[in-house]
Amino acid sequence: MTAITATVQAFFTERLAQQRRASPHTISAYRDTLRLLLGFAAARAGTSPCRLDFADLDAPVISAFLDHLEHERGNSIRSRNARLAAIHSLFAYAALRHPEHAADIERVLAIPPKRGDQTIVTFLTDTETSALLAAPDRATRTGRRDHAWILLAVQTGLRASELTALTCRDIHLGNGAYVACHGKGRKDRITPLAPGTITTLRTWLAERAGAPGDPLFVTRRGGPMSNDALQQRLGIYAAKAAQSCPALAGKKITPHVLRHTAAMRLLQAGNDITVIALWLGHANVTTTQIYLQADMALKQQALDRTTPPATQPGRYKPPDQLLAFLEAL
């Protein structure tokens, strides 16, 4: 067994599982990154992954792997940086166990994340939201289920992983109705429910008729819906809603767009950015500031409160007769 093989195994069993108590989502993400990396490095070295050593995973190889992700696999810069973060975590752990490879490890840890363009978030207007909510056929069980989770997502801003992880016991419909979820970063949070959402969920829970620990939103086979299932159903309804609301045709609707929509609705209602960060479960309020950049109405209000500079309109006049002739051509 090579040093890198033993290190990778200990990284998952000791570092992530025992010392850090990493979430299953984190472990899965790190696992997928290292599977890709080891496969890439093994093909490059002409050997099997279990025979790789630190010399086969030096900084040039890691850099080549990151370029491979971005240019050949079509990963975004954000995904590329997430893979690099997993690699950095492994090599930081390896530095404690193998000081004899400190030089190679230090070069890998020095590889910086790549800066990417910051795009404006996509969200739905009230008209677009209404069209999307009207798309599911509520004469069918599947339509009633999908209408319920779309409405819940738009009102609460839950992530796709949080929606699929909900159980029947997470919905509390008594006085002060709320939904409880175990979200990203192992943070538990509760989110109040609006009257319309309460009515829809009460109807769905009665039809669902599940035990407290059963998934809230299930497939026809009785298992929990996956993130891919949410996206697939949402794509169908977005296409249908675009027939009555053409503005939806130019937007790519994902479960995360519903989360952005919830945040923008809160912002446009006059809520403070710190309240929205708490609502969404953001660890840092700076993450929530992306919604300020997307809100044109808020920017217009700021512009309306300013006084335009007192300037006189002018027109360029060529200083010479010949230049004037050329300008007129």
Side-chain angles (χ1 to χ4, degrees):
M1 180 181 293
T2 64
I4 194 66
T5 299
T7 301
V8 169
Q9 293 178 354
F11 175 69
F12 281 96
T13 58
E14 295 178 11
R15 184 68 157 189
L16 294 183
Q18 296 181 17
Q19 297 176 5
R20 291 184 56 187
R21 289 189 66 245
S23 68
H25 179 77
T26 298
I27 292 175
S28 297
Y30 281 24
R31 176 204 63 202
D32 293 343
T33 295
L34 294 182
R35 287 176 61 185
L36 290 172
L37 172 61
L38 294 175
F40 175 84
R44 189 182 179 97
T47 185
S48 59
C50 65
R51 295 182 180 274
L52 293 172
D53 215 328
F54 280 98
D56 301 311
L57 293 171
D58 57 8
V61 173
I62 300 300
S63 296
F65 170 68
L66 296 174
D67 289 339
H68 164 74
L69 292 178
E70 191 173 349
H71 301 299
E72 296 182 31
R73 291 183 61 88
N75 288 176
S76 65
I77 292 178
R78 183 175 180 179
S79 296
R80 179 251 191 210
N81 289 342
R83 302 293 191 193
L84 177 60
I87 295 170
H88 278 172
S89 184
L90 169 65
F91 276 77
Y93 175 70
L96 303 175
R97 294 171 57 95
H98 298 284
E100 68 275 15
H101 297 291
D104 288 334
I105 293 173
E106 185 176 356
R107 293 188 188 97
V108 171
L109 293 175
I111 298 174
K114 180 178 286 189
R115 296 189 63 179
D117 296 332
Q118 186 173 355
T119 58
I120 302 297
V121 297
T122 300
F123 64 97
L124 304 181
T125 64
D126 289 344
T127 301
E128 294 166 347
T129 301
S130 298
L132 184 64
L133 287 170
D137 181 7
R138 278 176 274 177
T140 67
R141 177 183 171 88
T142 298
R144 290 189 292 272
R145 177 203 66 188
D146 292 344
H147 173 80
W149 72 256
I150 293 174
L151 177 61
L152 182 63
V154 168
Q155 195 251 289
T156 62
L158 293 181
R159 299 177 178 90
S161 59
E162 294 167 346
L163 285 168
T164 57
L166 288 176
T167 62
C168 294
R169 71 160 61 95
D170 293 327
I171 304 298
H172 302 263
L173 300 180
N175 293 331
Y178 65 91
V179 56
C181 75
H182 186 68
K184 186 177 180 181
R186 292 182 177 273
K187 294 191 293 290
D188 291 322
R189 74 180 188 276
I190 57 176
T191 306
L193 298 174
T197 309
I198 295 172
T199 302
T200 298
L201 289 177
R202 181 175 286 118
T203 303
W204 170 247
L205 279 172
E207 182 175 0
R208 169 72 181 86
D214 289 343
L216 178 62
F217 301 114
V218 293
T219 63
R220 293 179 180 178
R221 297 182 178 181
M225 295 182 71
S226 65
N227 291 5
D228 289 340
L230 296 186
Q231 178 61 68
Q232 188 263 345
R233 301 303 302 172
L234 198 56
I236 293 174
Y237 297 131
K240 181 179 179 181
Q243 298 175 8
S244 60
C245 182
L248 285 171
K251 293 185 176 181
K252 181 180 179 181
I253 311 300
T254 67
H256 215 70
V257 168
L258 304 184
R259 177 172 167 84
H260 292 329
T261 300
M264 292 302 297
R265 288 165 62 91
L266 290 169
L267 181 63
Q268 292 168 350
N271 291 285
D272 187 81
I273 196 72
T274 56
V275 175
I276 300 173
L278 180 65
W279 186 285
L280 296 178
H282 285 165
N284 195 323
V285 70
T286 57
T287 306
T288 319
Q289 290 177 353
I290 59 173
Y291 301 111
L292 292 174
Q293 301 174 14
D295 190 0
M296 282 296 295
L298 191 65
K299 294 176 182 178
Q300 185 63 48
Q301 292 173 10
L303 177 63
D304 293 343
R305 288 194 289 265
T306 64
T307 301
T311 59
Q312 294 295 326
R315 181 179 177 85
Y316 170 73
K317 295 182 178 180
D320 183 86
Q321 185 178 6
L322 178 58
L323 293 179
F325 164 77
L326 295 175
E327 287 287 341
L329 292 178

